Amino acid sequence: MPSRKKLSPSSEDYLETVLELSESTDAVRSVDIASHLGVSKASVTKAMGILREAQLIDQAHYGQIHLTAAGRRRADDVKNRHVMIKRFLIEILGIDEETAEQDACKMEHAICPTTREKWFDWLHQVLDNA
Amino acid sequence: MPSRKKLSPSSEDYLETVLELSESTDAVRSVDIASHLGVSKASVTKAMGILREAQLIDQAHYGQIHLTAAGRRRADDVKNRHVMIKRFLIEILGIDEETAEQDACKMEHAICPTTREKWFDWLHQVLDNA
DNA sequence: CTAAAATGTTAACCAAGGTTAACTTTTGTC
DNA sequence: GACAAAAGTTAACCTTGGTTAACATTTTAG
């Protein structure tokens, strides 16, 4: 039973950041999350407490941060929404990369699974027939 | 100089609700805003304080609520985003009305003016050639 | 016209998600 | 191996946007 409790937009952002940093460095540090999100170290500590509680990350006291299997799944889900929306903004609407990134960051928290799925299918159908 | 200070998502929701209720009843009451948004009367009082401060509504003590000219413009802006996104979700993606309404409510706060404009142009171009 | 019901306001409170500052632990350099 | 610098944690605090409960004002039915 994967714990499917809903995450706040803020928690989703932290989780997504852990995933992103995992991809390049593998040993994820609080300080890097903080600078990536433009937030204080103390905020990261708090947020990691929430993600640890939800069993989405493993982290020993004063230790490094690792996604659990469940955390990885959730993070992938957030990232997929993000990437999909950003592609829509850039490739369909012609928005510039920076604006698209900013708006995708916010929009990714606003869509329900149904919308994500239909949007995804539509986008790929349109892009494949281009 | 229209005061273009940014509104929080919450304030935008209240403003949009005032506009919607204005359209059918003209004498907008706190209690109707409260029930429309599923929020307590006290929350409405607080929120109206913010909108009054920003000169987006007129309201005498214990009085009814009216949009100012500036408030009307801002509310129209929010509503346009809402309607546009909802049309996209329903007419392009085929999302059901209720889900589209829910998601549009959240997405409307996430897009910047550039995105709104390009999305609007794209949508109308696509719908006109249908 | 008056009294009850409906509406509006205020005050005190709460939770979320930030902050800064002080402290603890870990790391890296000589 | 010691010790300074970097990283992480904790505690106390702030703001935002909600809440409930008590109170004030308006509206409306008799």
Side-chain angles (χ1 to χ4, degrees):
Chain A
M1 318 295 106
S3 162
R4 271 280 156 199
K5 228 180 323 178
K6 236 195 65 195
L7 293 176
S8 68
S10 168
S11 289
E12 286 196 343
D13 285 335
Y14 282 103
L15 192 61
E16 193 181 10
T17 299
V18 173
L19 174 60
E20 274 186 39
L21 295 178
S22 297
E23 281 163 359
S24 46
T25 77
D26 189 63
V28 180
R29 300 182 314 164
S30 277
V31 72
D32 297 323
I33 298 173
S35 75
H36 188 277
L37 288 175
V39 110
S40 71
K41 288 183 299 167
S43 295
V44 176
T45 298
K46 270 200 197 182
M48 292 308 107
I50 292 169
L51 297 183
R52 208 178 322 108
E53 199 65 27
Q55 295 180 270
L56 299 173
I57 62 167
D58 279 331
Q59 183 191 28
H61 208 49
Y62 287 96
Q64 291 169 339
I65 294 152
H66 300 278
L67 289 169
T68 62
R72 175 63 196 245
R73 266 181 269 120
R74 294 295 285 275
D76 278 337
D77 182 78
V78 178
K79 190 183 176 183
N80 287 341
R81 275 178 272 151
H82 182 106
V83 168
M84 178 195 72
I85 292 170
K86 191 171 172 181
R87 283 195 76 182
F88 169 77
L89 295 175
I90 291 178
E91 298 182 31
I92 305 292
L93 300 190
I95 306 286
D96 66 281
E97 138 82 25
E98 194 183 344
T99 304
E101 176 61 28
Q102 285 171 7
D103 283 9
C105 268
K106 292 188 282 179
M107 292 171 70
E108 69 189 13
H109 306 297
I111 66 173
C112 71
T114 302
T115 297
R116 184 195 59 66
E117 209 166 306
K118 291 213 170 186
W119 202 342
F120 188 89
D121 292 345
W122 175 86
L123 183 64
H124 284 90
Q125 184 243 306
V126 170
L127 291 177
D128 288 352
N129 295 353
Chain B
M1 318 297 104
S3 163
R4 271 279 156 198
K5 229 178 323 179
K6 237 195 65 198
L7 294 176
S8 69
S10 167
S11 289
E12 285 195 344
D13 285 336
Y14 283 104
L15 193 60
E16 193 181 9
T17 300
V18 174
L19 175 59
E20 274 184 39
L21 296 178
S22 296
E23 281 163 358
S24 46
T25 75
D26 190 63
V28 180
R29 300 182 313 163
S30 277
V31 73
D32 297 323
I33 298 173
S35 76
H36 188 276
L37 287 175
V39 111
S40 70
K41 288 182 299 166
S43 295
V44 176
T45 300
K46 272 199 195 181
M48 293 306 108
I50 292 169
L51 297 183
R52 208 178 320 108
E53 198 65 27
Q55 294 180 276
L56 299 173
I57 62 165
D58 279 333
Q59 183 191 28
H61 207 51
Y62 287 94
Q64 289 167 341
I65 294 153
H66 300 276
L67 290 170
T68 62
R72 175 61 196 246
R73 265 181 269 120
R74 294 295 285 276
D76 279 338
D77 182 78
V78 179
K79 189 184 177 185
N80 286 341
R81 274 178 273 151
H82 182 106
V83 169
M84 178 194 72
I85 292 170
K86 190 170 174 183
R87 284 195 75 183
F88 169 77
L89 295 175
I90 292 177
E91 299 183 30
I92 304 292
L93 300 190
I95 307 286
D96 66 281
E97 138 82 23
E98 193 183 345
T99 304
E101 177 61 28
Q102 286 171 6
D103 284 8
C105 267
K106 291 188 282 179
M107 292 170 71
E108 71 190 13
H109 307 297
I111 66 173
C112 71
T114 302
T115 296
R116 184 195 60 67
E117 209 166 305
K118 291 211 169 184
W119 202 342
F120 188 88
D121 292 346
W122 174 86
L123 183 64
H124 284 88
Q125 183 243 304
V126 169
L127 292 177
D128 287 353
N129 296 353

